[in-house]
Amino acid sequence: MSFSERVKRIKKEKGITNDALSAASGIPLGTLGKLLSGFTEEPKLSTAISIAEALGCSLEYLAVGKEEQPELSEIEKLRLEKYRALDAHGMRVCDFILNEEYLRSATVSRNVLADNTDSLFHAKVGEKKAKMIKIPFFADRVSAGSGVHLESNDATEISVVENEKTKRADFALRVSGDSMEPRYHDGDILLVENTPSIEVGELGIFICDGEGYFKELGNGCLISLNKKYEPIPLSQFESFSCRGTVIGTLRQRG
């Protein structure tokens, strides 16, 4: 695995976009793009250090793939033991709280403030903190693939920056799958406005035979943006309804 492949791997694991990595590391987006595409095979040491710090990993791991595994303290071992004893719902709750607090702590430590329309966090130094609002967030992912079950009662609240899109949003969902790439990716959080119907060509959340789908509405079908997936005929479902219109995304920066 090369330097660029290790960077992309960590970006995917932490849900970090190129824009967010560029802002956190101070590396121009164009330079970062050349590095991630493999056009630049050996980055400068200063560039590699900045990327490692922004990703929260060691320079040694990015350079040669070796990651030092710190020994767990007794308290950490006890916490891990308790976490492993949880059921699936308990793990989802812990994961959500852990991620929220990690993002909050990372933001404070880097003096990063949130005020980007399409992002949960955006690098701005020396500005007043943006106003935050809360919206419901559904833990179960909505499929950008074959469909998943949506548990309407399984919702928590997340804090997001107040802007035109988030004020319109009635709830948020996390994407699962790759059928809406290259525009939407696995793990993206969608902002959804409650609407009983949408126009052909618009993106929405649909309930088909009890399963949730994130797709573009076509003429009698649901369309994936990823061309390797065929349209799904609505005629194959016994029940079909629109849950809402997708109006944007939240991309978190770790």
Side-chain angles (χ1 to χ4, degrees), residues 196-209:
S197 63
I198 64 174
E199 298 294 327
V200 171
E202 292 184 332
L203 301 179
I205 304 300
F206 307 96
I207 308 298
C208 307
D209 291 347

Side-chain angles (χ1 to χ4, degrees), residues 181-230:
E181 291 185 351
R183 185 173 175 186
Y184 299 91
H185 306 278
D186 181 61
D188 280 356
I189 298 177
L190 306 176
L191 291 172
V192 184
E193 181 180 15
N194 275 330
T195 52
S197 63
I198 64 174
E199 298 294 327
V200 171
E202 292 184 332
L203 301 179
I205 304 300
F206 307 96
I207 308 298
C208 307
D209 291 347
E211 301 293 307
Y213 293 79
F214 166 42
K215 299 291 179 186
E216 175 185 326
L217 181 63
N219 288 308
C221 63
L222 297 180
I223 300 173
S224 300
L225 300 184
N226 189 334
K227 299 306 181 183
K228 75 177 183 180
Y229 291 93
E230 296 293 329

Side-chain angles (χ1 to χ4, degrees), residues 32 65 69 75 79-80 102 104-105 113 120-121 129-130 139 157 160 164 185 196 211 217 225 231 238 246 249 251:
L32 185 62
Q69 298 297 327
I75 293 178
R79 288 172 179 165
L80 180 59
Y102 171 78
R104 182 186 62 80
S105 299
L113 303 179
L120 188 57
F121 293 102
K129 189 172 182 179
E157 285 192 330
V160 298
E164 292 183 4
H185 306 278
E211 301 293 307
L217 181 63
L225 300 184
E238 293 183 1
V246 174
T249 60
R251 292 190 177 90

Side-chain angles (χ1 to χ4, degrees), residues 63-253:
V64 297
K66 183 179 179 181
E67 186 69 65
E68 181 180 355
Q69 298 297 327
E71 184 177 351
L72 295 177
S73 67
E74 291 303 317
I75 293 178
E76 289 172 331
K77 291 178 181 178
L78 179 59
R79 288 172 179 165
L80 180 59
E81 182 178 347
K82 290 180 178 179
Y83 179 82
R84 288 174 173 172
L86 297 174
D87 59 14
H89 174 74
M91 287 183 177
R92 287 202 305 267
V93 172
C94 285
D95 290 344
F96 176 79
I97 294 174
L98 179 62
N99 190 53
E100 285 287 290
E101 286 303 301
Y102 171 78
L103 290 171
R104 182 186 62 80
S105 299
T107 301
V108 172
S109 66
R110 295 174 187 167
N111 193 24
V112 177
L113 303 179
D115 67 350
N116 188 321
T117 300
D118 293 321
S119 301
L120 188 57
F121 293 102
H122 177 67
K124 290 288 184 180
V125 179
E127 298 182 0
K128 292 184 178 180
K129 189 172 182 179
K131 182 178 179 181
M132 308 295 287
I133 59 176
K134 292 185 177 182
I135 60 175
F137 173 67
F138 288 88
D140 287 327
R141 295 187 177 207
V142 62
S143 181
S146 59
V148 295
H149 182 62
L150 286 176
E151 297 178 358
S152 59
N153 293 325
D154 190 15
T156 54
E157 285 192 330
I158 56 174
S159 297
V160 298
V161 178
E162 183 182 49
N163 53 51
E164 292 183 4
K165 289 186 178 180
T166 56
K167 284 191 294 185
R168 287 177 54 196
D170 294 298
F171 60 92
L173 289 170
R174 193 182 295 277
V175 175
S176 175
D178 66 350
S179 73
M180 295 302 280
E181 291 185 351
R183 185 173 175 186
Y184 299 91
H185 306 278
D186 181 61
D188 280 356
I189 298 177
L190 306 176
L191 291 172
V192 184
E193 181 180 15
N194 275 330
T195 52
S197 63
I198 64 174
E199 298 294 327
V200 171
E202 292 184 332
L203 301 179
I205 304 300
F206 307 96
I207 308 298
C208 307
D209 291 347
E211 301 293 307
Y213 293 79
F214 166 42
K215 299 291 179 186
E216 175 185 326
L217 181 63
N219 288 308
C221 63
L222 297 180
I223 300 173
S224 300
L225 300 184
N226 189 334
K227 299 306 181 183
K228 75 177 183 180
Y229 291 93
E230 296 293 329
I232 304 174
L234 295 180
S235 59
Q236 76 178 44
F237 303 113
E238 293 183 1
S239 63
F240 168 81
S241 64
C242 177
R243 181 73 179 275
T245 305
V246 174
I247 58 176
T249 60
L250 295 172
R251 292 190 177 90
Q252 300 174 327
R253 196 182 83 189

Side-chain angles (χ1 to χ4, degrees), residues 51-70:
I51 291 177
E53 290 178 347
L55 292 176
C57 68
S58 70
L59 178 61
E60 186 177 17
Y61 172 74
L62 292 184
V64 297
K66 183 179 179 181
E67 186 69 65
E68 181 180 355
Q69 298 297 327

